[in-house]
Amino acid sequence: MSTALTPMQLALAKRAAAQATAASTVEQAGEPRSVRLGGASHPTQEASASDPKPPAPAVRPEPAQPTAQQPAPAPSKPAVQARPEVLAALAKMRAKQDALEQAPSKPAPAPAPNPRLSELAARILAQRAKQSPAAALLAETLERQAAARAVQGAEIPWNAEQAEAIRLGTEGKGFVLVGAAGTGKTTCVRQVITDALQRFIEQGGSAEHCTVSCVAFTNRAVKNLVKSCKGIQDIRVQQLALQNCRTIHKTLKFAPVYYDYVSASGTVERTMRFEPTYTALTPITTLELVVVDEASMVDLPLWKKLLEATPNAHYIFIGDLNQLKPVFGLSVLGYKLLELPVVELTQVHRQAFDSPILSFQHKYSLKGIPPSDASLQAITESSGGKLVFQPLSKMRPAPEQSRVLAKAMHKHYLEGTYKPHQDVILLPHGKDGTFGSTLVNQWVAQWMGEERQAVVHEILCGMGKQYLAVGDFVVHNKEEYFVESISSNRAYAGKAPQEASPDLMRSGYYKSKPSTQPVELDDFDALLELAFEEDGSERKLAASHIVTLVLAQGTDSLDSAMKEATKEKVVRITTKGELNELAFGYALTVHKSQGSEWRKVFFAATAHHVSQLNRELVYTAMTRAREELHVYYSPSDTASGVSNTIAKAIMRPSIAGKNWREKCRHFADRVDEYQAFMAEPTQYGT
């Protein structure tokens, strides 16, 4: 009797086959092929039918405390021989994969939408209704929604791929939803959340113990999720969805935990780090469905903590493999492609094709086709100002290029085409002293401050310092604010800051006194005595000034109406820790922008950024713009034949493959590392 194998086990079987002993004569035939099982593709090789003892995956013992969602453990060594039924399963699924690979790469256009369902989706639902009571419930739900929208004069444009995702969500199954920008992931996920919350309300559930949660990695990604949930028609469902949209860290209630350790000198020291309140020991037992949006940003350690804290939940992962991977480690999204059913949205909607920004991604970035200089200029001329590629000279040094870009943004600001709270400047990195977000922020703040003749204050705290003025646009704890007021702090103890003046530049120098150096905090011993208590714990140092912030809400003026609307959103910066969280918000790195959208994006990808540029970074930066995108790039060097910087980036993917099936091979080759990591017991501090 054959045994059902998971995609993860198949990947392990492939690894074990490669490590078989010399006595095991397995015939290798041709190039590696792909086997699809359970919604995922895995590379494998054909094995000879005459081999009596082909290799098989080894079996490891179960972890000490397995959870409900914990995957199978990694294989151990040495490898043992595979069972014949394993090879039979591989051969059976290879035929399905061959047929899949011969299908056309571009999906056929979906039928025209009708007031209820497309014809193709209706047939799928009818078939499912005969097989499953849950599918019948899905059909009834969609019909009810179609009737409601028909009254409002709207149509339901579900295609077959979206209908399949909704079916899996209605049946209470976990799955992965992937798709490029413009394929309708947000619309599909909103419908899945709506159906789940409607069933929860109909069953008499209370808002205090909601079984559905929508999480994301960053606050910016949560904001986009909240924006999507505001499109839910049912007010009760909408309010419940908004209450349960939060970051993973807030869901797990991360809090500071102190640890004692013995230092190299033999003394007992204390350190602090943030750990989740909800763990495997104190789980959230009420959650039954967790929707993980922007799953490509979630790294494995954070995913493990979420999995352990929600043992009764099934998960829906939404993401785009074409975007940036986490800063540290690999994304959980890639490994879930090997474990769960996958629904890929391939149909690009008309509104996406109407956008030159998204059409550029589908024509060049996603296909790995490098555009020429002539192509970039042709796109600029035909886009009507929505997509502009502007070359920058490669001869200027990085600090000078930063100043040139900031001066261009100041010109846009004076013309009314750039608004700091609605638009953003993106750069590949934020390094000090180079063409990064830090230096660009300083110059933009300088030019815009001079325009309004702002008085610049030097704000000191410990060994740190910042140069701020009233009206500056800043970011504090990932929220956007304007500086409302700056006043002296009587609790401050330290050297006197420089005199506030409109001539004080954001670099710390006076324009009227170019030879004057900024005040340096050189009394290190005195600062140490000031910074720490007698027991060695860090003291909350007072800053030299109290900085008051008001939340930015659609206006760049500090009038009375804005103050009244944001009077409950006032933040007072008084200590060193709060000051360190304060930064200019004009320019961001591409990594910090992931999961967010702006009206206009000004993206710099020049020769100074070549080492950081790749396909995923360019794709992520460009897709942050809703209306307009301005790209500053270095043109091709005709003498040496070197391509422009955009073409170079597109030809450098961080994960090889043009679709999720090809990218699966990257994660299948590392599945044993993933298994070993997930099998390790989690250490919780006290």
Side-chain angles (χ1 to χ4, degrees):
M1 183 176 179
S2 63
T3 304
L5 300 176
T6 65
M8 192 73 77
Q9 289 173 328
L10 289 178
L12 295 176
K14 180 211 132 186
R15 273 196 176 272
Q19 300 173 356
T21 59
S24 302
T25 56
V26 180
E27 182 182 354
Q28 305 291 333
E31 295 293 326
R33 305 180 69 179
S34 189
V35 176
R36 179 179 174 88
L37 214 146
S41 297
H42 310 276
T44 186
Q45 292 181 334
E46 295 189 21
S48 172
S50 61
D51 191 353
K53 295 181 179 181
V59 180
R60 285 189 175 182
E62 294 290 332
Q65 296 180 351
T67 60
Q69 301 292 329
Q70 188 168 331
S76 59
K77 296 181 181 180
V80 298
Q81 304 299 322
R83 300 187 304 272
E85 53 265 26
V86 175
L87 297 178
L90 292 174
K92 181 178 179 181
M93 300 310 299
R94 185 181 302 117
K96 295 183 179 180
Q97 182 62 23
D98 289 341
L100 184 62
E101 292 178 349
Q102 295 175 1
S105 58
K106 294 184 179 180
N114 59 52
R116 298 178 66 181
L117 293 171
S118 66
E119 182 180 355
L120 181 57
R123 288 201 301 267
I124 294 176
L125 293 174
Q127 295 175 357
R128 296 289 183 180
K130 299 178 181 179
Q131 303 173 0
S132 168
L137 176 62
L138 170 63
E140 181 182 351
T141 301
L142 292 181
E143 290 178 1
R144 184 173 65 250
Q145 294 170 353
R149 294 199 179 189
V151 175
Q152 302 173 1
E155 298 180 345
I156 300 181
W158 304 130
N159 54 38
E161 301 160 347
Q162 292 173 321
E164 177 67 10
I166 297 173
R167 180 190 67 82
L168 292 172
T170 303
E171 293 182 349
K173 296 180 179 179
F175 64 95
V176 179
L177 181 65
V178 295
T183 55
K185 296 193 301 295
T186 301
T187 304
C188 186
V189 171
R190 182 173 61 206
Q191 189 59 58
V192 172
I193 296 172
T194 301
D195 293 343
L197 290 175
Q198 283 180 341
R199 293 194 299 272
F200 174 74
I201 294 175
E202 293 173 358
Q203 295 172 2
S206 61
E208 293 79 12
H209 301 89
C210 186
T211 59
V212 181
S213 181
C214 308
V215 301
F217 182 71
T218 63
N219 285 316
R220 293 182 179 274
V222 172
K223 286 183 179 180
N224 283 346
L225 194 58
V226 168
K227 183 180 179 180
S228 174
C229 291
K230 287 182 178 180
I232 299 176
Q233 300 295 327
D234 193 324
I235 301 299
R236 296 184 305 167
V237 176
Q238 181 189 117
Q239 292 178 349
L240 196 58
L242 296 178
Q243 293 174 5
N244 292 276
C245 290
R246 56 179 69 91
T247 63
I248 299 178
H249 297 82
K250 290 182 180 179
T251 301
L252 301 180
K253 290 188 177 181
F254 272 70
V257 178
Y258 294 91
Y259 298 88
D260 293 331
Y261 68 97
V262 180
S263 64
S265 61
T267 60
V268 179
E269 303 288 346
R270 170 164 286 194
T271 185
M272 184 271 290
R273 69 184 183 195
F274 285 87
E275 291 286 353
T277 303
Y278 294 112
T279 64
L281 305 177
T282 55
I284 309 174
T285 57
T286 56
L287 286 181
E288 298 179 0
L289 171 62
V290 178
V291 179
V292 184
D293 195 21
E294 298 291 346
S296 60
M297 304 171 61
V298 182
D299 56 31
L300 295 183
L302 184 59
W303 156 244
K304 186 178 180 181
K305 290 181 173 64
L306 179 63
L307 177 66
E308 293 176 340
T310 54
N312 300 329
H314 66 276
Y315 309 89
I316 299 176
F317 299 87
I318 301 97
D320 187 356
L321 284 173
N322 303 297
Q323 295 190 22
L324 290 168
K325 65 179 184 179
V327 178
F328 303 103
L330 291 174
S331 167
V332 65
L333 182 64
Y335 295 103
K336 290 303 166 182
L337 296 175
L338 306 175
E339 295 181 348
L340 298 174
V342 180
V343 178
E344 183 181 18
L345 302 183
T346 57
Q347 179 184 341
V348 182
H349 296 279
R350 180 174 178 81
Q351 59 269 27
F353 271 123
D354 290 341
S355 169
I357 302 171
L358 294 180
S359 64
F360 176 84
Q361 308 307 321
H362 289 273
K363 185 176 181 180
Y364 294 100
S365 298
L366 298 180
K367 295 182 179 180
I369 300 175
S372 62
D373 291 38
S375 300
L376 298 181
Q377 293 305 311
I379 294 173
T380 301
E381 296 173 358
S382 62
S383 66
K386 294 183 178 180
L387 178 56
V388 178
F389 290 94
Q390 184 172 341
L392 286 182
S393 173
K394 296 186 289 185
M395 303 304 295
R396 297 189 183 95
E400 183 64 20
Q401 285 283 41
S402 304
R403 186 172 180 176
V404 170
L405 178 61
K407 197 69 176 178
M409 299 310 302
H410 181 226
K411 182 180 179 181
H412 284 297
Y413 177 76
L414 296 178
E415 296 174 350
T417 56
Y418 166 63
K419 297 183 178 180
H421 58 281
Q422 297 180 7
D423 311 326
V424 70
I425 309 167
L426 296 182
L427 294 109
H429 62 78
K431 299 177 182 178
D432 295 338
T434 62
F435 195 179
S437 60
T438 302
L439 196 56
V440 172
N441 267 320
Q442 291 181 0
W443 278 115
V444 172
Q446 178 68 30
W447 298 132
M448 299 182 70
E450 290 181 358
E451 180 66 26
R452 63 179 188 272
Q453 297 181 349
V455 178
V456 180
H457 299 259
E458 183 182 54
I459 304 175
L460 303 178
C461 185
M463 291 174 283
K465 52 192 170 184
Q466 293 197 33
Y467 299 89
L468 299 175
V470 174
D472 284 346
F473 180 63
V474 296
V475 176
H476 179 68
N477 286 333
K478 302 180 181 180
E479 290 283 353
E480 299 173 344
Y481 297 89
F482 287 101
V483 178
E484 184 187 43
S485 64
I486 301 175
S487 59
S488 297
N489 189 359
R490 295 182 179 181
Y492 171 73
K495 288 189 174 183
Q498 298 188 91
E499 181 181 357
S501 171
D503 291 337
L504 180 60
M505 301 181 66
R506 306 308 174 105
S507 58
Y509 296 87
Y510 287 95
K511 290 188 293 184
S512 59
K513 303 176 183 178
S515 61
T516 302
Q517 297 289 332
V519 176
E520 297 293 339
L521 304 173
D522 52 2
D523 194 351
F524 189 75
D525 293 335
L527 288 172
L528 289 180
E529 294 179 1
L530 199 65
F532 296 93
E533 303 286 354
E534 294 182 357
D535 59 356
S537 60
E538 186 176 2
R539 180 181 300 168
K540 287 189 175 182
L541 294 179
S544 61
H545 294 75
I546 299 175
V547 184
T548 306
L549 311 176
V550 294
L551 193 67
Q553 292 188 343
T555 178
D556 55 358
S557 63
L558 298 175
D559 53 17
S560 58
M562 176 183 173
K563 294 179 182 179
E564 181 66 23
T566 62
K567 60 182 181 180
E568 298 181 356
K569 299 291 186 180
V570 175
V571 177
R572 287 168 59 88
I573 307 296
T574 60
T575 64
K576 171 186 175 183
E578 295 171 337
L579 186 65
N580 290 338
E581 295 292 331
L582 190 64
F584 290 119
Y586 305 103
L588 298 175
T589 62
V590 179
H591 284 83
K592 290 184 178 180
S593 72
Q594 191 169 356
S596 303
E597 288 185 343
W598 287 268
R599 185 188 65 152
K600 297 181 182 179
V601 170
F602 300 84
F603 174 46
T606 68
H608 299 286
H609 309 115
V610 169
S611 60
Q612 292 87 24
L613 292 176
N614 55 48
R615 184 185 301 176
E616 289 78 10
L617 188 140
V618 170
Y619 173 84
T620 303
M622 291 186 175
T623 53
R624 300 309 94 195
R626 291 194 304 270
E627 300 179 9
E628 291 186 20
L629 172 65
H630 296 253
V631 182
Y632 298 88
Y633 72 102
S634 297
S636 302
D637 189 345
T638 55
S640 61
V642 177
S643 304
N644 60 71
T645 50
I646 302 299
K648 289 181 182 179
I650 290 177
M651 295 300 293
R652 293 175 56 190
S654 59
I655 299 178
K658 298 180 181 180
N659 52 56
W660 73 270
R661 295 181 181 86
E662 295 178 1
K663 293 180 183 293
C664 269
R665 302 183 181 183
H666 177 88
F667 298 96
D669 292 340
R670 294 160 177 80
V671 68
D672 54 348
E673 301 175 5
Y674 168 75
Q675 290 280 32
F677 174 80
M678 298 298 294
E680 294 178 356
T682 305
Q683 301 294 329
Y684 299 101
T686 57

